[in-house]
Amino acid sequence: MTRQSITLIGGGLVGALLAQLLAKRGFAVEVFEKRPDPRVAGFLGGRSINLALAERGLQALRTAGLADDVLQRAVMMRGRMVHPLNVTPGLQRYGVDDSEVIWSVSRGGLNTLLLDAAEAAGVTFHFGQSLVDADLDQRRITLVDEKGVERHHDAPILVGADGAGSALRAAMNDHAPLGIRIEPLGHAYKELEIPPAAGADRFAIEPNALHIWPRGGYMCIALPNTEGSFTVTLFLPAHGPHPSFDTLPDSAAASAFFREDFPDLLPQIPHFAKDYDDHPVGALSTLYLDRWHIDDRALLIGDAAHAIVPFHGQGMNCGFEDTVVLADLLAESGRDVRDAFVEFQRIRQPNANAIAAMALENYIEMRDSVADPHYLAKRELGARLAERAPKHFMARYRMVTFTHLPYAYVFERGRAQDTLLEQLLRGSTSANDVELDAAVSTLEATLPPLPKLRHG
């Protein structure tokens, strides 16, 4: 039997994982990637250096047989280490114990591992090949290499995993409008680095945490790397009055700002001036599409279909979740490609919209609420309810990060739980003001039990 052929555009994280999953299910898969092979040329920057891997992404990696290999190259993060201005830092755990943690992984290292696994499964990769045209009527694509040499490729089934700036999405939209909406956040980011410390422990600050310096309308975060460094990201308004990237055009202005607003962080970044002046300012936006596919000819997946802001650490995890759903649908006996694409969008689009909304909300939480007394009281009361009535209450962050409950369900359940917490606290800044037995009774009378939870 001739194996059905699928052409993928994009060999990044989502594209490489999808390629491997499809090859394992019997498809003949070719991948065209505009960048050079990172295993030969080295990993090219321009995107976040490290990422937060959570349960949804881990489950996809388990499906691919790669979870253990990835975790050996990751650093565990138990929670948020919050650094208020001129106050001792404190850890806010993500979960109940070390069974509920997230993992800091290197984008370059993970991409290399996924490419190796896909090739081992029989996938053919073509690097240095940029998509310049997709004739969806003829089911042919045109690519060009770094020397300007064109090639044509027959592509009866096309899948675009080529990221937020997707070339396939642009070609599909030219063929038939997809209803593209891009909503800029208005904030941007710049990456800096805390290098490894001298000595045996290697890490200059607590390694097993995601560090946050919340400052109201802006913040810094830092994620650990296995060799002991931390990738620091400054998030600021892109334009407008101080502080914004407009008002910090160079490292001299930025150093003065850091001395004032991040005095404990600046000494940890010895190459601050070089980092600040050399690294670009990155834009942040949310992408929405009305249509993710054109009948059975082309489909978008991951960031190409639903790019989100990074503040819930779920972009990669959501994209990885996509890959398992799509691979299973395409491999399902008796289901044709168009029906698989229709069903994929039906299942995943509401969930993509939900995590997009929650990521935007989480930015406000990270930069502001983590130091707010009323937020902390709600967090404490929620933890007490979760301990006393675990079948009826779980913090939204835990549902997103440590379960496989659909994002759309989590979004609605989280709103209902938040409304209940507000009612119970009545504006108080202390969870001790709420009588717990009465609160549990109200919870159980107000909200139905949670669905059966599935962890790893």
Side-chain angles (χ1 to χ4, degrees):
M1 250 180 89
T2 303
R3 295 191 298 160
Q4 194 168 23
S5 296
I6 296 180
T7 301
L8 299 189
I9 307 300
L13 301 178
V14 170
L17 179 59
L18 176 62
Q20 191 245 31
L21 292 173
L22 289 171
K24 286 176 69 176
R25 285 159 173 77
F27 293 94
V29 184
E30 288 194 74
V31 181
F32 293 88
E33 165 59 46
K34 69 179 180 181
R35 294 168 184 256
D37 187 340
R39 298 166 298 180
V40 177
F43 186 73
L44 299 179
R47 294 170 293 176
S48 299
I49 293 166
N50 53 3
L51 300 152
L53 176 65
E55 173 55 33
R56 294 166 197 271
L58 267 173
Q59 180 58 23
L61 292 169
R62 289 186 199 105
T63 302
L66 300 173
D68 290 343
D69 287 343
V70 172
L71 289 179
Q72 286 174 10
R73 298 163 169 81
V75 181
M76 179 179 72
M77 297 186 291
R78 293 187 171 95
R80 300 166 172 164
M81 184 67 76
V82 181
H83 299 253
L85 188 59
N86 300 321
V87 177
T88 303
L91 182 70
Q92 296 178 3
R93 267 195 178 271
Y94 290 133
V96 292
D97 55 34
D98 279 359
S99 70
E100 294 184 341
V101 298
I102 61 176
W103 302 85
S104 177
V105 295
S106 155
R107 182 189 287 272
L110 180 57
N111 204 171
T112 294
L113 185 150
L114 293 173
L115 291 171
D116 286 344
E119 281 191 341
V123 175
T124 301
F125 285 91
H126 307 273
F127 293 97
Q129 299 286 323
S130 296
L131 180 75
V132 291
D133 185 52
D135 185 335
L136 296 178
D137 290 326
Q138 297 298 317
R139 299 182 186 251
R140 294 189 86 203
I141 58 175
T142 303
L143 305 120
V144 64
D145 66 16
E146 63 276 4
K147 295 178 181 175
V149 177
E150 281 194 354
R151 67 185 289 183
H152 302 283
H153 175 75
D154 290 328
I157 303 170
L158 265 172
V159 178
D162 50 342
S166 171
L168 181 58
R169 184 178 69 238
M172 289 167 65
N173 192 60
D174 287 343
H175 179 88
L178 303 177
I180 298 172
R181 301 185 311 287
I182 297 173
E183 296 184 1
L185 180 65
H187 287 225
Y189 70 94
K190 187 182 282 273
E191 291 194 336
L192 311 163
E193 184 186 49
I194 298 173
D201 56 4
R202 295 178 296 142
F203 294 95
I205 55 178
E206 167 58 47
N208 298 123
L210 187 157
H211 294 259
I212 305 178
W213 289 259
R215 297 296 183 264
Y218 51 95
M219 67 175 181
C220 278
I221 67 170
L223 274 71
N225 297 303
T226 50
E227 83 284 359
S229 68
F230 288 79
T231 302
V232 178
T233 310
L234 168 66
F235 295 97
L236 274 180
H239 309 293
H242 181 79
S244 70
F245 282 110
D246 277 353
T247 67
L248 303 175
D250 54 38
S251 58
S255 294
F257 168 60
F258 265 67
R259 278 193 294 273
E260 190 75 23
D261 280 62
F262 303 103
D264 60 328
L265 176 56
L266 182 59
Q268 307 282 358
I269 309 175
H271 307 296
F272 181 90
K274 180 172 172 50
D275 284 357
Y276 195 90
D277 290 335
D278 288 357
H279 295 172
V281 175
L284 296 166
S285 300
T286 304
L287 168 72
Y288 303 93
L289 305 181
D290 293 335
R291 299 174 61 201
W292 290 6
H293 69 97
I294 292 176
D295 49 56
D296 65 343
R297 287 174 277 184
L299 170 82
L300 300 168
I301 188 171
D303 282 357
H306 50 73
I308 64 175
V309 295
F311 304 112
H312 219 307
Q314 285 292 306
M316 173 181 66
N317 293 285
C318 182
F320 280 4
E321 205 172 48
D322 279 355
T323 66
V324 177
V325 173
L326 180 60
D328 285 347
L329 286 169
L330 286 169
E332 203 171 283
S333 177
R335 188 186 289 279
D336 65 26
V337 172
R338 184 185 186 283
D339 186 54
F341 286 179
V342 168
E343 186 67 0
F344 175 75
Q345 180 173 340
R346 186 194 70 78
I347 293 169
R348 295 301 294 163
Q349 191 173 40
N351 292 306
N353 290 341
I355 190 56
M358 289 188 284
L360 288 165
E361 290 179 4
N362 218 44
Y363 184 34
I364 297 167
E365 181 174 309
M366 290 174 75
R367 76 187 196 208
D368 196 356
S369 301
V370 289
D372 174 67
H374 182 66
Y375 164 82
L376 295 173
K378 277 203 298 185
R379 193 174 186 276
E380 176 62 25
L381 178 57
R384 293 179 186 181
L385 290 174
E387 187 176 357
R388 283 284 299 274
K391 292 182 179 179
H392 279 77
F393 193 98
M394 177 179 274
R396 190 177 83 175
Y397 186 92
R398 287 180 64 209
M399 288 191 280
V400 166
T401 309
F402 306 123
T403 81
H404 305 146
L405 293 171
Y407 289 124
Y409 170 84
V410 173
F411 186 45
E412 293 305 321
R413 180 71 179 211
R415 285 193 160 175
Q417 290 182 170
D418 191 68
T419 298
L420 179 66
L421 291 174
E422 291 285 1
Q423 291 170 351
L424 292 170
L425 277 167
R426 298 187 184 90
S428 172
T429 56
S430 174
N432 294 327
D433 292 342
V434 179
E435 205 283 305
L436 194 56
D437 288 338
V440 169
S441 297
T442 302
L443 166 65
E444 293 176 344
T446 305
L447 297 178
L450 294 161
K452 187 175 180 182
L453 300 175
R454 184 162 66 97
H455 292 65

